[in-house]
Amino acid sequence: MYQQINPVAETEEETGVMLFPVTKSLETYTQSTLFESLPIRERPGTRISELGPQACTDYELLATVIGGKYQIEVAQTLISKYGDLYKIYNAHTSVLAREIKGLTEATAIKLKAALAIGLRMAKNPTVEKPAINSPSDAAAIVQYEMGGLTAEELWVMCLDRRNRVLEIRHLYRGSVSSSQVRIGEIFELPIQIKASAIICMHNHPSGDPTPSPDDVALTRAIVQAGKLLDVDLLDHLVIAQGRWISLKERGLGFS
């Protein structure tokens, strides 16, 4: 029931999709660009239309937003330079336009807007409140936004008796440790909205989700306070870029 999200596939064998190496500057593509050389059915826009965006790579999604005959070269240069969508989103549009050949600032603005839409969709679920049945359910709601944060933050997800999400509150920004977090503040909102349980989650901007001794100590303190206040701590997740760890799943701080 509980499982970690698998890392994103990065090779042709894993994805089943040809990845074109970025080996030329845009000026060298005078005869035929990568986009023009592809059969119509294999072009990013067609693949999204026929297979859905979930079947497409980051390159293809970016290329479709960028548009134009150099869309694939520009998209691959973006990924090659910045590494992932989180870093692209955090880069200023003027920097993107200056550093990526073939990308205008107007297109960079469109690209950033598209990524922001994804963030808002992840942050604000539909009217039908999502139920949390496993750590992966909780991680899926916050991972895209938290994974892209450049500073450490602590969030609290409040749940009703059926484990449906009532509200998510951002509490701390900066170092999240047992010595700096006030346990009482964590429970202010849950008590106010009569939540039955909470899930705490914080990010590691380093990209390594391995829990620290401070993370375990904080979890233990929240569990003990929750017992007194009749609000269960269902889990404490550590989120990183593309990965997460459940302290409950690992038995850290809950014993």
Side-chain angles (χ1 to χ4, degrees), residues 55-186:
C56 298
T57 64
D58 289 348
Y59 297 99
E60 292 170 318
L61 296 175
L62 288 173
T64 304
V65 175
I66 293 166
K69 64 180 181 179
Y70 292 114
Q71 59 182 261
I72 294 178
E73 289 88 343
V74 174
Q76 292 190 339
T77 303
L78 275 166
I79 293 292
S80 176
K81 182 173 183 60
Y82 288 94
D84 56 48
L85 297 178
Y86 303 115
K87 292 184 176 66
I88 295 172
Y89 174 76
N90 285 322
H92 194 278
T93 53
S94 63
V95 175
L96 290 172
R98 184 173 65 250
E99 294 188 343
I100 306 299
K101 188 178 293 295
L103 184 69
T104 66
E105 186 160 3
T107 302
I109 290 171
K110 286 172 54 181
L111 184 61
K112 192 143 187 172
L115 293 172
I117 289 172
L119 283 175
R120 292 189 181 188
M121 289 181 64
K123 181 179 178 181
N124 299 309
T126 58
V127 175
E128 180 68 24
K129 297 175 181 177
I132 305 300
N133 298 310
S134 67
S136 60
D137 290 340
I141 292 176
V142 303
Q143 184 174 11
Y144 186 63
E145 184 172 6
M146 290 197 83
L149 296 174
T150 56
E152 197 166 340
E153 294 189 14
L154 173 66
W155 297 4
V156 176
M157 179 183 290
C158 301
L159 309 172
D160 65 14
R161 293 187 182 280
R162 295 171 61 184
N163 284 356
R164 293 178 302 182
V165 178
L166 295 173
E167 189 173 337
I168 300 175
R169 172 165 289 185
H170 303 190
L171 281 183
Y172 282 87
R173 179 177 175 84
S175 179
V176 177
S177 69
S178 56
S179 62
Q180 295 179 331
V181 174
R182 292 181 57 197
I183 302 301
E185 291 183 4
I186 291 176

Side-chain angles (χ1 to χ4, degrees), residues 31-32 35 40 42 54 69 101 122 127 141 162 177 184-185 210 220 223 226 233:
Q31 299 301 319
S32 178
F35 176 79
I40 292 178
E42 294 181 14
Q54 69 279 359
K69 64 180 181 179
K101 188 178 293 295
V127 175
I141 292 176
R162 295 171 61 184
S177 69
E185 291 183 4
T210 304
R220 188 173 294 113
V223 169
L233 176 67

